[in-house]
Amino acid sequence: MNRGRTAVIVGAQWGDEGKGKIVDVLTQTFSVVARYAGGHNAGHTVIINGKKFILQLVPGGILRPGCISVIGNGVVLDPLAFLKEVASLRDAGVQIDGNLFISNRAQVILPYHRMMELGAENAPGRVKIGTTSRGIGPAYEDKMGRRGLRVADLLDTALLRTHIENACREKNMIGHALFNSDPLDADKMFKEYSDAAQKIAPFVCDTALLLNQAIAEGKSVVFEGAQGTMLDIDHGTYPFVTSSSATSGGAVTGTGVPPTSIDTVIGITKAYCTRVGGGPFPSELLDEQGEDLRKRGNEFGAVTGRPRRTGWLDLPLLRYAGMINGISWLVVTKLDVLDHLTEIPVCVGYKIDGKATAEVPAQACGYEKIECLYRKMPGWATPTQDVRTLEGLPKPAREYLTFIEKETGARVGMISTGPDREQTILVPEFVSQLGLKEIKSPAARA
Ligand code: IMP
């Protein structure tokens, strides 16, 4: 039997590129969706039967009956946030049982992670990252410090009690000394988390085994990235990054599926750029044009509601994302947000200290020296929300997409022109190369 196809979906910018929508399209024919990094700092908005969901931890496959969703070992899991999300999905009639699995090796976020993060973010003299305050960074710190609690340990009551008692003692002392934080009650925490453990137990298994077996049996798997390339702990705008491997390499370490089993990497980019939180953003617009993009694109964080910073498309960063992730296909989202413009500036290159450079700086202070070189592309000044084919797009919009292809070396396989499932253009070669032969245009689905 041939092994199943696989594709990694990765954010090519700073997250919020609309990865949820492409996962939704792929699950028409892909059988499994595996999330590989991050935690409930991520968020994508999905609307089913007029009801809006913000999925934070649960992979997008859950909304497709019969599709298996996996939370991989690379994810940091807040058990309470997970149970809350599952309860709201159940309330909406989503079939959860038998369709959702959590890795026994995923790390657990506990209340002291949030305590330490809040303390550090507000402490004078510390670099303020502008995190989502979910305890993500401190949970990954404990993982790398080899003092984390994994899901398998959460289910082991005796171990859980000892872990919480020891960790609380230590974190309370550190929190008090460094940030004057109020101490956390270990008994209360043990009660709450041992209750949660019982509810989580039915979802827990060895998901590396599950995924490798599924692929060996010919099932197709989508690896769902969270955040984006420029928020990756190694390759992003460090230290203004998240604490996990958001790039395609994370799909391997974050699920236990070997690199030799990855077929395709699909990068998702908006037709412009956004970022939430602090840190470098070379093509940022701080004027009314930026405000206009924010309003037209409804650029407010799905998790924290914070306004997103906005700017023009940055091709040097997109080329960098292509190189780091091995992107062969790009999905361009929110093209319609540019519909009103007669002229669209695009950053085509960087100058640092007056010299053109193809390199992306390693230091945050290096980004401050960047002078963006812009090329003005003709706008189309025509609505695109109802267009369903590439040929149906206005010529300048097609030229905008072709320009992106030429500059990045990746093909554009899908274009999103609105928030609804049906506001999607699928390029036939993308459909056939991904083996999505039976894929129907989302509009044609029930
Ligand atoms: P953390 O992931 O909460 O530690 O936050 C680190 C940085 O990543 C902050 O700038 C956050 O705003 C950003 N971030 C984390 N998750 C997301 C996301 O899903 N979309 C966009 N930005 C994110």
Side-chain angles (χ1 to χ4, degrees):
M1 183 188 289
N2 287 341
R3 77 160 170 82
R5 290 182 160 269
T6 61
V8 181
I9 307 295
V10 73
Q13 298 168 318
W14 281 279
D16 306 318
E17 298 91 351
K19 295 177 284 292
K21 188 160 169 175
I22 167 76
V23 169
D24 183 50
V25 167
L26 293 193
T27 55
Q28 290 180 59
T29 50
F30 276 61
S31 320
V32 184
V33 180
R35 172 87 186 268
Y36 62 82
H40 63 314
N41 49 351
H44 61 254
T45 309
V46 187
I47 298 169
I48 353 169
N49 299 334
K51 193 163 167 55
K52 184 168 149 184
F53 295 94
I54 296 177
L55 293 177
Q56 296 189 335
L57 270 166
V58 178
I62 203 70
L63 304 173
R64 179 83 54 190
C67 185
I68 298 294
S69 288
V70 170
I71 296 178
N73 57 276
V75 171
V76 282
L77 183 105
D78 180 324
L80 307 186
F82 171 80
L83 290 170
K84 199 167 151 211
E85 197 171 320
V86 163
S88 83
L89 288 166
R90 276 205 178 107
D91 283 351
V94 177
Q95 173 61 38
I96 302 281
D97 301 307
N99 288 339
L100 179 59
F101 298 93
I102 301 173
S103 167
N104 51 8
R105 290 171 172 82
Q107 294 278 327
V108 178
I109 301 181
L110 286 151
Y112 47 77
H113 292 129
R114 283 189 295 279
M115 172 180 88
M116 298 307 268
E117 178 161 58
L118 280 172
E121 278 281 90
N122 297 322
R126 289 256 190 149
V127 177
K128 196 169 169 61
I129 309 290
T131 70
T132 57
S133 312
R134 301 290 194 269
I136 307 290
Y140 278 113
E141 277 178 47
D142 277 355
K143 169 180 179 171
M144 291 311 188
R146 295 163 296 181
R147 52 178 181 268
L149 181 87
R150 306 209 289 184
V151 168
D153 311 327
L154 178 75
L155 306 188
D156 180 334
T157 311
L159 199 155
L160 178 66
R161 183 182 280 282
T162 317
H163 185 95
I164 287 184
E165 279 170 0
N166 291 340
C168 272
R169 191 176 316 114
E170 195 173 289
K171 307 284 182 192
N172 281 342
M173 279 164 73
I174 299 172
H176 177 73
L178 293 185
F179 314 123
N180 204 21
S181 311
D182 291 333
L184 295 167
D185 181 336
D187 284 340
K188 190 168 156 262
M189 198 184 298
F190 170 70
K191 166 105 197 38
E192 199 169 18
Y193 283 78
S194 52
D195 282 355
Q198 281 182 19
K199 296 186 185 125
I200 278 176
F203 297 102
V204 179
C205 71
D206 181 340
T207 51
L209 188 62
L210 182 154
L211 288 168
N212 282 290
Q213 272 176 353
I215 295 170
E217 284 163 10
K219 295 204 175 99
S220 46
V221 179
V222 186
F223 298 92
E224 184 184 67
Q227 290 82 44
T229 304
M230 301 316 293
L231 288 175
D232 180 273
I233 185 72
D234 288 288
H235 303 291
T237 48
Y238 192 90
F240 299 94
V241 290
T242 192
S243 297
S244 65
S245 296
T247 44
S248 57
V252 170
T253 54
T255 62
V257 167
T260 44
S261 292
I262 306 287
D263 296 322
T264 315
V265 180
I266 304 168
I268 321 297
T269 175
K270 280 182 189 165
Y272 49 98
C273 258
T274 65
R275 144 158 236 176
V276 205
F281 185 171
S283 65
E284 182 169 17
L285 286 164
L286 296 165
D287 54 11
E288 64 278 9
Q289 278 188 302
E291 187 56 36
D292 190 48
L293 280 181
R294 181 159 38 251
K295 280 199 189 118
R296 287 179 190 270
N298 191 25
E299 296 296 356
F300 297 90
V303 173
T304 59
R306 290 180 291 178
R308 294 179 186 141
R309 298 156 64 192
T310 53
W312 299 123
L313 186 65
D314 185 334
L315 289 171
L317 282 194
L318 210 47
R319 285 193 279 269
Y320 176 72
M323 172 182 84
I324 296 292
N325 294 296
I327 294 171
S328 50
W329 287 103
L330 278 171
V331 171
V332 178
T333 61
K334 293 198 151 183
L335 188 74
D336 57 299
V337 175
L338 305 182
D339 279 355
H340 62 297
L341 297 170
T342 49
E343 192 173 74
I344 307 169
V346 178
C347 171
V348 291
Y350 291 161
K351 260 189 180 178
I352 295 182
D353 296 329
K355 281 196 208 117
T357 176
E359 234 177 83
V360 166
Q363 288 179 290
C365 59
Y367 283 87
E368 279 153 28
K369 295 192 198 154
I370 289 176
E371 184 198 335
C372 283
L373 304 172
Y374 286 101
R375 172 169 165 170
K376 284 189 177 148
M377 301 291 292
W380 42 96
T382 317
T384 57
Q385 287 216 333
D386 297 325
V387 178
R388 297 289 174 269
T389 61
L390 207 50
E391 303 71 47
L393 282 174
K395 189 160 172 272
R398 288 202 307 274
E399 283 169 357
Y400 190 73
L401 298 169
T402 311
F403 186 65
I404 295 175
E405 291 188 325
K406 189 172 134 275
E407 291 285 314
T408 60
R411 290 287 316 277
V412 172
M414 177 173 148
I415 303 119
S416 172
T417 59
D420 293 337
R421 276 176 169 178
E422 65 267 25
Q423 289 170 314
T424 304
I425 298 169
L426 286 166
V427 175
E429 291 98 302
F430 176 70
V431 170
S432 61
Q433 216 190 83
L434 274 173
L436 305 174
K437 292 201 177 54
E438 290 146 51
I439 204 163
K440 295 186 195 91
S441 143
R445 281 192 278 125

